[in-house]
Amino acid sequence: AQSVTQPDIHITVSEGASLELRCNYSYGATPYLFWYVQSPGQGLQLLLKYFSGDTLVQGIKGFEAEFKRSQSSFNLRKPSVHWSDAAEYFCAGGYNKLIFGAGTRLAVHP
Amino acid sequence: EAQVTQNPRYLITVTGKKLTVTCSQNMNHEYMSWYRQDPGLGLRQIYYSMNVEVTDKGDVPEGYKVSRKEKRNFPLILESPSPNQTSLYFCASSRTENTEAFFGQGTRLTVV
């Protein structure tokens, strides 16, 4: 069955530290892949997307993600986290519909 | 400004009292969908619509109805709400079923 897994429910990092949020997918072939961010009380905002081509994609707010077919992964990274990055992050993928992971809640220590 | 508008943002209702959550988009998108968000479960699709008068069940459709009489509107109807439908609901629209989805601000529904 198609699925998207985010292994980490909560992650805490210090401001200025690097960040990596994990996402694994289970599909027969490479799906379309997305990362969304949800700030408290807000809807979901697209950070970046991967359809094909260059496996390292750049997004908004300084985020990037790397697609690794061999690992069925699409991990989100940021070299230096800001306090305003505290939010919930969702990985999503699919062909004919989007399937969302359960989300990773990011806390940032000052 | 491109946007998806949901109303109301917050709603408390009683078991069995029919309610409708409205959703409207101004991007001329063909694909629209409803999700519910519950802690630890991420977003699960309730219903989706590929175009006007074309709707289909998502992963958790029980207890919900939708309609798509116009391209811009996609209301979610709970004919007889129950407490297990207490959740955060999101409407989304996109050009197609696998392109970037634009989300509304969400509707937090409590059924008592």
Side-chain angles (χ1 to χ4, degrees):
Chain A
Q2 299 174 354
S3 67
V4 173
T5 303
Q6 294 179 246
D8 306 304
I9 299 174
H10 295 280
I11 284 185
T12 300
V13 300
S14 298
E15 192 168 16
S18 63
L19 171 71
E20 182 168 28
L21 302 182
R22 297 184 291 164
C23 173
N24 295 97
Y25 64 89
S26 173
Y27 288 86
T30 302
Y32 298 100
L33 294 164
F34 305 83
W35 274 100
Y36 287 87
V37 61
Q38 183 182 28
S39 299
Q42 300 296 314
L44 278 74
Q45 180 184 21
L46 180 72
L47 286 175
L48 47 78
K49 59 190 175 188
Y50 174 77
F51 288 172
S52 64
D54 193 347
T55 56
L56 185 64
V57 293
Q58 302 297 320
I60 62 171
K61 305 186 181 188
F63 285 93
E64 66 177 26
E66 185 172 13
F67 169 68
K68 292 186 177 180
R69 185 189 308 275
S70 61
Q71 298 177 19
S72 297
S73 69
F74 188 57
N75 294 350
L76 182 72
R77 302 195 295 244
K78 187 169 185 178
S80 177
V81 171
H82 188 263
W83 63 267
S84 60
D85 293 323
E88 189 154 22
Y89 292 80
F90 291 95
C91 181
Y95 299 114
N96 54 6
K97 70 171 186 179
L98 284 186
I99 296 176
F100 284 81
T104 298
R105 185 168 297 278
L106 173 67
V108 179
H109 277 326
Chain B
E1 178 190 356
Q3 60 183 2
V4 178
T5 304
Q6 288 178 236
N7 281 296
R9 291 289 310 277
Y10 302 92
L11 180 59
I12 300 175
T13 190
V14 296
T15 299
K17 185 177 181 181
K18 180 179 178 180
L19 67 91
T20 299
V21 184
T22 64
C23 174
S24 181
Q25 52 97 0
N26 63 359
M27 294 166 280
N28 201 36
H29 285 162
E30 294 190 344
Y31 188 86
M32 297 185 74
S33 55
W34 276 101
Y35 296 87
R36 62 178 288 173
Q37 183 182 7
D38 301 289
L41 297 177
L43 278 78
R44 293 178 293 166
Q45 192 182 57
I46 303 170
Y47 268 93
Y48 65 93
S49 170
M50 303 281 277
N51 212 325
V52 175
E53 302 290 5
V54 181
T55 63
D56 207 347
K57 296 177 180 178
D59 298 315
V60 288
E62 294 76 21
Y64 304 95
K65 285 176 53 177
V66 293
S67 69
R68 188 94 180 270
K69 293 183 169 53
E70 306 165 279
K71 199 170 190 178
R72 64 184 291 121
N73 296 324
F74 189 46
L76 178 70
I77 303 155
L78 284 72
E79 294 270 3
S80 183
S82 62
N84 64 12
Q85 293 178 296
T86 292
S87 187
L88 179 58
Y89 292 86
F90 286 101
C91 179
S93 77
S94 54
R95 192 168 44 83
T96 68
E97 62 271 22
N98 51 23
T99 53
E100 175 187 354
F102 292 80
F103 285 83
Q105 295 281 73
T107 296
R108 185 166 292 281
L109 172 66
T110 302
V111 183
V112 298

